[in-house]
Amino acid sequence: MQHNRYMKWFAVAATIGMLLILLGGALVTKTDSGLGCGRNWPDCNGSLIPKEITPEVLIEFSHRLVTGIVSISILVLTIWTWRKLGHIREVKLLGFLAMFFLIAQALIGAAQVLWGQGDFILALHFGISLISFSAVLLLSMIVFEVDRKFDADNVFIGKKLRWHTIAVTIYSYLVVYTGALVRHTESSLICPDWPFCNNETPFAPLNNMYEWVQMGHRFAVLIFSIWIAYITWHAIKEYKNQRVIYYGWIIAFIIVILQVIAGMLVVLTKLNLTVALLHSLFISILFGLLCYMVLLVARSDYNGKNKE
């Protein structure tokens, strides 16, 4: 029992740490601190500990330091869960995904510092970190036995909801990528208004690639929001007796509304840093929740096969 309690606390710490990596990476991008340590990696401006501290150096070096510490903690959590909870089918895959994508995002970050990368490649960085975060989050939820609390071992998800859950989760990754592309192409304020690029001439043709990137992201978010609203309506109507499905999609709908509001305020506040970080936070939590719903779909399939 004491051993399990330690694992729970460690899992929470690792999940929070992974979230800090996500937000730290977003902070680096939003403050243009990516070269705060110069073209040096893993050292900073030629030394292990930076000698001259500027805001850019502090942000970039802190992000690297947090990433290093959290990487070790996730490795420990992976090995720990493999040894103690390896009998649960998802544990080994989640541990592998957490480590693989954590290493991948670190290598992309290092490549950007050392050689530079194109905007379309850099936009992958946040999404890759997001997969690692989601894997760690699901590992932590398994450690806490959330499935048993919500009777997820007995959950049954119909074919319609299964398809929508998997499809909207995949689509959400496209939304994340387009959002990251907006940041990396510096298209955040190319459109001064919301919801149209220019509210005075809402249907005017877009003039350049940057406006297409910005409005393409907004259109992708619109589809995503409507889709989540539809799934939530379906879950409320058909899954009242399965709390994890019922409340899970209601929470997803609330988060997507907050995400849309934060995106609007990013434009209207002219890239206020706090609002921009909240924007990143909401999509991180939402993607993690959607991945959990996919996990429930997999368990529903497994439960159905065992009952046949």
Side-chain angles (χ1 to χ4, degrees):
M1 183 65 69
Q2 187 82 348
H3 189 76
N4 290 339
R5 188 172 68 183
Y6 289 148
M7 184 185 291
K8 290 177 181 179
W9 279 107
F10 196 84
V12 169
T15 304
I16 294 174
M18 193 62 226
L19 188 59
L20 289 177
I21 289 179
L22 277 172
L23 295 179
L27 181 62
V28 168
T29 301
K30 295 176 192 305
T31 58
D32 292 323
S33 302
L35 293 180
C37 288
R39 293 287 182 187
N40 301 94
W41 192 93
D43 61 310
C44 186
N45 291 323
S47 43
L48 188 61
I49 304 297
K51 297 176 181 178
E52 182 179 351
I53 303 298
T54 64
E56 292 77 14
V57 169
L58 182 62
I59 292 171
E60 171 67 9
F61 183 74
S62 298
H63 178 54
R64 294 187 188 185
L65 184 63
V66 170
T67 299
I69 295 172
V70 173
S71 297
I72 295 172
S73 69
I74 292 175
L75 176 61
V76 172
L77 178 65
T78 298
I79 296 173
W80 200 348
T81 52
W82 279 9
R83 293 186 61 184
K84 299 298 180 181
L85 303 175
H87 59 282
I88 300 175
R89 351 183 250 119
E90 301 91 355
V91 165
K92 290 185 178 179
L93 175 62
L94 290 173
F96 170 77
L97 291 176
M99 287 305 307
F100 178 83
F101 285 99
L102 182 61
I103 293 171
Q105 67 88 22
L107 291 177
I108 290 177
Q112 163 59 14
V113 169
L114 295 174
W115 306 296
Q117 298 287 335
D119 294 331
F120 288 83
I121 298 298
L122 279 177
L124 291 171
H125 192 264
F126 183 78
I128 289 174
S129 301
L130 201 55
I131 295 176
S132 184
F133 163 73
S134 299
V136 174
L137 176 65
L138 296 188
L139 265 182
S140 299
M141 295 177 81
I142 290 174
V143 168
F144 273 86
E145 299 180 339
V146 173
D147 295 344
R148 184 174 302 172
K149 179 178 179 182
F150 289 107
D151 297 323
D153 288 335
N154 300 315
V155 72
F156 176 76
I157 300 174
K159 184 176 180 180
K160 182 176 182 179
L161 185 56
R162 293 183 200 183
W163 183 89
H164 278 291
T165 300
I166 295 171
V168 80
T169 302
I170 295 172
Y171 181 74
S172 71
Y173 201 74
L174 173 65
V175 174
V176 169
Y177 179 78
T178 60
L181 197 58
V182 168
R183 292 198 304 271
H184 286 290
T185 58
E186 298 183 357
S187 304
S188 299
L189 296 180
I190 193 66
C191 293
D193 294 328
W194 193 94
F196 298 103
C197 194
N198 190 320
N199 290 341
E200 293 182 358
T201 55
F203 302 109
L206 300 178
N207 297 315
N208 51 58
M209 181 198 76
Y210 304 102
E211 290 184 353
W212 277 102
V213 169
Q214 172 64 249
M215 294 309 297
H217 174 60
R218 293 188 193 183
F219 184 69
V221 170
L222 175 63
I223 295 174
F224 182 54
S225 304
I226 294 172
W227 200 347
I228 292 289
Y230 171 76
I231 297 173
T232 303
W233 172 80
H234 177 71
I236 291 174
K237 182 180 177 183
E238 303 291 341
Y239 291 87
K240 291 181 180 179
N241 296 327
Q242 299 191 60
R243 291 187 302 160
V244 66
I245 304 298
Y246 183 84
Y247 289 110
W249 283 109
I250 289 176
I251 293 171
F253 177 70
I254 293 171
I255 297 174
V256 82
I257 293 301
L258 293 174
Q259 174 71 6
V260 170
I261 293 173
M264 174 189 69
L265 291 177
V266 165
V267 175
L268 298 183
T269 62
K270 308 300 181 184
L271 300 181
N272 177 273
L273 186 57
T274 300
V275 174
L277 290 177
L278 283 174
H279 191 59
S280 299
L281 175 64
F282 290 142
I283 193 59
S284 301
I285 296 173
L286 179 57
F287 186 77
L289 176 57
L290 291 177
C291 287
Y292 179 64
M293 304 311 281
V294 171
L295 176 66
L296 292 181
V297 167
R299 291 197 168 180
S300 174
D301 291 342
Y302 180 76
N303 295 337
K305 290 177 182 178
N306 284 346
K307 290 180 180 179
E308 293 178 355

Short mmCIF file of all heavy atoms in Angstrom, two decimals, residues 15 44 46 74 87 104 111 127 148 175 189 196 198 210 218-219 230 232 234 239 254 258 296 301:
data_model
loop_
_atom_site.label_atom_id
_atom_site.label_comp_id
_atom_site.label_asym_id
_atom_site.label_seq_id
_atom_site.Cartn_x
_atom_site.Cartn_y
_atom_site.Cartn_z
N THR A 15 3.70 13.81 -14.45
CA THR A 15 2.70 14.40 -15.34
C THR A 15 2.77 15.92 -15.31
O THR A 15 2.73 16.58 -16.36
CB THR A 15 1.29 13.93 -14.93
OG1 THR A 15 1.24 12.51 -14.92
CG2 THR A 15 0.25 14.46 -15.90
N CYS A 44 25.20 26.01 -22.90
CA CYS A 44 24.52 27.29 -23.15
C CYS A 44 25.57 28.38 -23.32
O CYS A 44 26.29 28.71 -22.37
CB CYS A 44 23.59 27.61 -21.98
SG CYS A 44 22.57 29.08 -22.22
N GLY A 46 28.39 28.23 -24.73
CA GLY A 46 29.75 27.75 -24.53
C GLY A 46 30.09 27.24 -23.15
O GLY A 46 31.21 26.80 -22.91
N ILE A 74 10.45 10.53 -15.98
CA ILE A 74 9.57 9.73 -16.83
C ILE A 74 10.20 8.38 -17.12
O ILE A 74 9.50 7.35 -17.17
CB ILE A 74 9.26 10.49 -18.14
CG1 ILE A 74 8.38 11.71 -17.82
CG2 ILE A 74 8.54 9.58 -19.14
CD1 ILE A 74 8.10 12.60 -19.00
N HIS A 87 1.27 -6.17 -16.09
CA HIS A 87 0.19 -7.08 -16.47
C HIS A 87 -0.99 -6.35 -17.11
O HIS A 87 -1.84 -6.97 -17.75
CB HIS A 87 -0.31 -7.84 -15.24
CG HIS A 87 -0.82 -6.94 -14.15
ND1 HIS A 87 0.04 -6.26 -13.30
CD2 HIS A 87 -2.08 -6.58 -13.78
CE1 HIS A 87 -0.69 -5.53 -12.45
NE2 HIS A 87 -1.96 -5.72 -12.72
N ALA A 104 12.23 12.31 -29.07
CA ALA A 104 12.05 12.91 -30.40
C ALA A 104 11.92 14.43 -30.32
O ALA A 104 12.55 15.16 -31.09
CB ALA A 104 10.82 12.31 -31.08
N ALA A 111 18.12 20.11 -32.84
CA ALA A 111 18.42 20.38 -34.25
C ALA A 111 18.10 21.82 -34.61
O ALA A 111 18.82 22.45 -35.40
CB ALA A 111 17.61 19.42 -35.13
N GLY A 127 3.43 19.22 -31.06
CA GLY A 127 2.60 18.04 -31.20
C GLY A 127 3.29 16.77 -30.73
O GLY A 127 2.65 15.89 -30.13
N ARG A 148 -11.06 1.65 -12.64
CA ARG A 148 -11.89 0.91 -11.70
C ARG A 148 -12.90 1.82 -11.01
O ARG A 148 -14.05 1.47 -10.80
CB ARG A 148 -11.00 0.22 -10.66
CG ARG A 148 -11.76 -0.66 -9.69
CD ARG A 148 -10.80 -1.41 -8.78
NE ARG A 148 -9.87 -2.23 -9.57
CZ ARG A 148 -8.84 -2.87 -9.03
NH1 ARG A 148 -8.58 -2.78 -7.75
NH2 ARG A 148 -8.04 -3.60 -9.81
N VAL A 175 -5.46 20.06 -35.82
CA VAL A 175 -5.75 21.38 -35.27
C VAL A 175 -4.55 21.90 -34.49
O VAL A 175 -4.18 23.08 -34.60
CB VAL A 175 -7.00 21.33 -34.36
CG1 VAL A 175 -7.23 22.67 -33.67
CG2 VAL A 175 -8.24 20.95 -35.17
N LEU A 189 -0.89 37.62 -35.60
CA LEU A 189 -1.59 38.91 -35.68
C LEU A 189 -1.75 39.40 -37.12
O LEU A 189 -2.02 40.58 -37.34
CB LEU A 189 -0.85 39.95 -34.84
CG LEU A 189 -0.79 39.68 -33.34
CD1 LEU A 189 -0.02 40.79 -32.62
CD2 LEU A 189 -2.19 39.53 -32.75
N PHE A 196 -13.50 36.83 -38.27
CA PHE A 196 -12.98 36.95 -39.63
C PHE A 196 -11.62 37.63 -39.60
O PHE A 196 -11.25 38.26 -38.61
CB PHE A 196 -13.95 37.73 -40.51
CG PHE A 196 -15.31 37.07 -40.65
CD1 PHE A 196 -16.40 37.54 -39.93
CD2 PHE A 196 -15.47 35.98 -41.49
CE1 PHE A 196 -17.64 36.94 -40.06
CE2 PHE A 196 -16.70 35.37 -41.62
CZ PHE A 196 -17.79 35.83 -40.90
N ASN A 198 -10.81 40.16 -41.37
CA ASN A 198 -11.18 41.57 -41.27
C ASN A 198 -12.70 41.63 -41.23
O ASN A 198 -13.37 41.31 -42.22
CB ASN A 198 -10.64 42.35 -42.48
CG ASN A 198 -10.80 43.85 -42.30
OD1 ASN A 198 -11.82 44.33 -41.80
ND2 ASN A 198 -9.79 44.61 -42.72
N TYR A 210 0.31 33.86 -44.99
CA TYR A 210 0.14 34.04 -43.56
C TYR A 210 -1.33 34.14 -43.18
O TYR A 210 -1.77 33.59 -42.16
CB TYR A 210 0.92 35.27 -43.09
CG TYR A 210 2.38 35.21 -43.45
CD1 TYR A 210 2.88 35.93 -44.54
CD2 TYR A 210 3.26 34.40 -42.73
CE1 TYR A 210 4.22 35.85 -44.89
CE2 TYR A 210 4.60 34.31 -43.07
CZ TYR A 210 5.07 35.04 -44.16
OH TYR A 210 6.40 34.95 -44.51
N ARG A 218 -8.30 28.77 -37.91
CA ARG A 218 -9.61 29.13 -37.34
C ARG A 218 -10.71 28.23 -37.91
O ARG A 218 -11.61 27.81 -37.18
CB ARG A 218 -9.93 30.60 -37.63
CG ARG A 218 -9.01 31.58 -36.91
CD ARG A 218 -9.51 33.01 -37.10
NE ARG A 218 -8.50 33.99 -36.69
CZ ARG A 218 -8.68 35.30 -36.70
NH1 ARG A 218 -9.85 35.79 -37.10
NH2 ARG A 218 -7.73 36.13 -36.32
N PHE A 219 -10.64 27.94 -39.20
CA PHE A 219 -11.64 27.08 -39.82
C PHE A 219 -11.54 25.66 -39.26
O PHE A 219 -12.55 25.01 -38.99
CB PHE A 219 -11.46 27.07 -41.34
CG PHE A 219 -12.52 26.28 -42.06
CD1 PHE A 219 -13.83 26.73 -42.10
CD2 PHE A 219 -12.20 25.09 -42.69
CE1 PHE A 219 -14.82 26.01 -42.76
CE2 PHE A 219 -13.17 24.36 -43.35
CZ PHE A 219 -14.48 24.82 -43.39
N TYR A 230 -21.22 17.95 -31.10
CA TYR A 230 -22.09 16.86 -31.56
C TYR A 230 -21.84 15.58 -30.75
O TYR A 230 -22.79 14.91 -30.32
CB TYR A 230 -21.86 16.58 -33.04
CG TYR A 230 -22.57 15.34 -33.51
CD1 TYR A 230 -23.95 15.34 -33.73
CD2 TYR A 230 -21.87 14.15 -33.72
CE1 TYR A 230 -24.61 14.18 -34.13
CE2 TYR A 230 -22.52 13.00 -34.12
CZ TYR A 230 -23.89 13.01 -34.32
OH TYR A 230 -24.53 11.87 -34.70
N THR A 232 -20.63 15.34 -27.77
CA THR A 232 -21.12 15.56 -26.41
C THR A 232 -22.63 15.37 -26.34
O THR A 232 -23.15 14.74 -25.41
CB THR A 232 -20.74 16.98 -25.93
OG1 THR A 232 -19.33 17.15 -26.01
CG2 THR A 232 -21.19 17.21 -24.49
N HIS A 234 -24.42 13.54 -28.30
CA HIS A 234 -24.67 12.10 -28.46
C HIS A 234 -24.39 11.35 -27.15
O HIS A 234 -25.18 10.48 -26.74
CB HIS A 234 -23.79 11.54 -29.57
CG HIS A 234 -23.91 10.07 -29.77
ND1 HIS A 234 -25.04 9.47 -30.30
CD2 HIS A 234 -23.05 9.04 -29.49
CE1 HIS A 234 -24.87 8.16 -30.35
NE2 HIS A 234 -23.68 7.88 -29.86
N TYR A 239 -25.48 7.85 -23.24
CA TYR A 239 -24.57 7.21 -22.28
C TYR A 239 -24.73 7.76 -20.87
O TYR A 239 -23.76 7.88 -20.12
CB TYR A 239 -23.11 7.40 -22.76
CG TYR A 239 -22.80 6.62 -24.00
CD1 TYR A 239 -23.05 7.16 -25.26
CD2 TYR A 239 -22.27 5.33 -23.94
CE1 TYR A 239 -22.79 6.45 -26.41
CE2 TYR A 239 -22.00 4.61 -25.08
CZ TYR A 239 -22.26 5.17 -26.32
OH TYR A 239 -21.99 4.45 -27.47
N ILE A 254 -16.53 21.60 -22.48
CA ILE A 254 -16.20 22.80 -21.71
C ILE A 254 -14.80 23.29 -22.06
O ILE A 254 -14.56 24.49 -22.26
CB ILE A 254 -16.31 22.52 -20.20
CG1 ILE A 254 -17.77 22.27 -19.81
CG2 ILE A 254 -15.74 23.69 -19.38
CD1 ILE A 254 -17.96 21.79 -18.39
N LEU A 258 -13.41 26.87 -23.77
CA LEU A 258 -12.35 27.68 -23.17
C LEU A 258 -11.20 27.89 -24.15
O LEU A 258 -10.60 28.98 -24.20
CB LEU A 258 -11.84 27.01 -21.89
CG LEU A 258 -12.82 26.94 -20.71
CD1 LEU A 258 -12.22 26.12 -19.57
CD2 LEU A 258 -13.17 28.34 -20.22
N LEU A 296 -10.46 4.19 -23.68
CA LEU A 296 -11.72 3.55 -23.30
C LEU A 296 -12.34 2.80 -24.48
O LEU A 296 -12.95 1.75 -24.30
CB LEU A 296 -12.70 4.60 -22.77
CG LEU A 296 -12.35 5.27 -21.45
CD1 LEU A 296 -13.44 6.26 -21.06
CD2 LEU A 296 -12.15 4.25 -20.35
N ASP A 301 -13.67 -2.44 -26.84
CA ASP A 301 -13.49 -3.52 -27.83
C ASP A 301 -13.02 -4.80 -27.15
O ASP A 301 -13.50 -5.89 -27.46
CB ASP A 301 -12.48 -3.10 -28.90
CG ASP A 301 -13.04 -1.98 -29.79
OD1 ASP A 301 -14.27 -1.80 -29.82
OD2 ASP A 301 -12.23 -1.31 -30.45
#
